Amino acid sequence: MEAQGNRQYEQACDAALGWIARLRSDDVSATDRQSFALWLGENASHRTAMDQMLDMWDDLGVLQVLPEQAPAELPREAANASRWYTGAAAIAASIMLALFLYPQLGTDPVSTEYRTAVGERLSIELPDNSTVVLNTDSSISVTYTDEQRHIDLRRGEAWFQVNPNKERPFHVDAGETRVTAVGTAFNVYLQQDATAITVTEGVVRVSEIVETGSHKPASKILSVNQQLRTSSDGWALSPPTDFSARLAWRQGELVADEMLLVDLVAELERYHNTNYLIADPSIAGLSISGVLQLDEPEAILKALEVSLGVQADTLESGTVRLLKAEQ
């Protein structure tokens, strides 16, 4: 078993030398680099061999005083140790070169995904100290390179606080829309039929993502307190408005200002795995105002009962039925 372990160690070192030769060649490919990374991580013995070589690096200074060949009068163990250290020096030097070269060879950018469940909010600090806050049932993919910072909003809603870096633009793609910011704060809500971009700080550029060169992409600059809705029907820019109430979800709040019951129900279904059914047409046009806690649906239903005279019944299916309270 010990002999087998020694052979594995020697094979790992030999393989490392082979990788060095390949990575230093003029025709090294991206596939080679990826394969090298896989080799480093595919077996613990590979990294163990490297670690052992690196640990010995300081000890290899004794080679400066060792003779090129072990004297005949040295015990066999000492002679073997001399030859072993000499070979180890070459292997360790090659491994050190591999570790030095590898970060410079470049690899394909790695994407990281973040997502939230229904009713969940998540604050994320990105590698450049920018911040993302994900709303309920949302998903993003984050890819950073030396040239740009790229976020793909795949579902839901997210608010971004971007750390300034003019040399490394910050892009957020949502459907067919791209939002570019250097240092600012903004919200992106990807809906089924439209995307809403709201600027809470600074300036952003919104542009179309066009697959072909036959159509010049539309582009618009947005400043603080502006909102742009993009859809297949065109772009609609709202007048400057204080959108802090609209973005109160970041604090777990829903700020209702004469909000129709039908719209309130739609918001509640965003944040809870519950179906709400307005069973009485006479209450459909009622509206409510106030600050509601999104994490407390029972309290919201109680508020409807007190302020609007709406009764909430939970059916066996779990659906909440809303109707006019009995007098």
Side-chain angles (χ1 to χ4, degrees):
M1 292 295 293
E2 183 178 353
Q4 182 179 358
N6 291 336
R7 285 195 299 271
Q8 290 178 346
Y9 174 78
E10 294 171 359
Q11 290 170 358
C13 294
D14 290 340
L17 293 173
W19 279 117
I20 296 301
R22 185 181 303 181
L23 294 172
R24 294 183 66 187
S25 66
D26 294 333
D27 60 347
V28 60
S29 65
T31 300
D32 290 332
R33 297 174 185 132
Q34 293 172 4
S35 298
F36 175 57
L38 291 174
W39 178 83
L40 283 175
E42 72 181 1
N43 193 299
S45 65
H46 298 169
R47 292 194 177 276
T48 298
M50 289 187 179
D51 290 342
Q52 290 177 347
M53 293 298 100
L54 292 174
D55 289 341
M56 287 189 302
W57 185 257
D58 291 337
D59 295 335
L60 293 177
V62 300
L63 293 175
Q64 298 177 1
V65 298
L66 286 175
E68 293 184 3
Q69 293 183 347
E73 65 271 19
L74 286 177
R76 176 178 300 177
E77 291 80 7
N80 289 340
S82 174
R83 289 192 295 271
W84 185 83
Y85 271 108
T86 303
I91 295 172
S94 298
I95 292 174
M96 286 292 291
L97 181 59
L99 295 176
F100 173 78
L101 286 176
Y102 181 66
Q104 304 181 52
L105 293 174
T107 58
D108 293 336
V110 176
S111 298
T112 304
E113 295 189 8
Y114 301 91
R115 63 186 64 187
T116 54
V118 173
E120 181 185 9
R121 292 178 301 278
L122 177 64
S123 180
I124 306 157
E125 184 174 345
L126 299 177
D128 66 329
N129 294 322
S130 295
T131 300
V132 182
V133 183
L134 289 186
N135 201 358
T136 175
D137 193 23
S138 300
S139 173
I140 61 171
S141 175
V142 178
T143 306
Y144 273 35
T145 68
D146 292 337
E147 292 77 26
Q148 66 174 345
R149 299 166 288 174
H150 182 262
I151 313 293
D152 185 11
L153 178 60
R154 298 181 174 178
R155 184 177 69 252
E157 185 173 18
W159 179 80
F160 302 88
Q161 178 76 60
V162 180
N163 194 32
N165 187 339
K166 294 183 179 180
E167 304 301 323
R168 200 179 181 200
F170 190 101
H171 302 299
V172 177
D173 289 352
E176 299 300 318
T177 302
R178 167 167 290 183
V179 184
T180 301
V182 175
T184 186
F186 59 96
N187 192 79
V188 184
Y189 181 15
L190 179 60
Q191 299 165 289
Q192 185 173 1
D193 55 355
T195 299
I197 302 99
T198 306
V199 181
T200 59
E201 179 184 320
V203 177
V204 304
R205 182 176 70 251
V206 181
S207 56
E208 288 183 297
I209 301 175
V210 180
E211 296 294 338
T212 67
S214 60
H215 168 65
K216 184 178 179 179
S219 180
K220 185 172 287 293
I221 300 296
L222 301 183
S223 58
V224 63
N225 290 334
Q226 284 190 308
Q227 183 182 84
L228 177 68
R229 289 180 60 84
T230 68
S231 69
S232 57
D233 295 329
W235 289 12
L237 180 64
S238 70
T241 306
D242 183 1
F243 288 97
S244 57
R246 169 65 184 82
L247 303 180
W249 61 262
R250 294 172 296 170
Q251 292 80 45
E253 297 176 345
L254 174 62
V255 179
D257 183 11
E258 295 297 319
M259 178 179 287
L260 293 176
L261 184 60
V262 64
D263 294 329
L264 175 62
V265 164
E267 284 296 295
L268 291 178
E269 290 183 341
R270 283 186 66 197
Y271 293 92
H272 305 282
N273 285 313
T274 302
N275 293 323
Y276 293 85
L277 173 65
I278 300 177
D280 189 340
S282 68
I283 66 172
L286 298 178
S287 62
I288 186 172
S289 297
V291 179
L292 308 175
Q293 300 301 316
L294 289 170
D295 297 334
E296 302 177 11
E298 295 298 327
I300 295 177
L301 295 178
K302 184 65 176 178
L304 294 179
E305 179 182 345
V306 172
S307 61
L308 301 182
V310 171
Q311 178 180 329
D313 295 333
T314 302
L315 307 179
E316 291 184 0
S317 63
T319 296
V320 174
R321 181 178 60 185
L322 302 177
L323 52 128
K324 189 174 183 178
E326 297 179 0
Q327 300 298 325

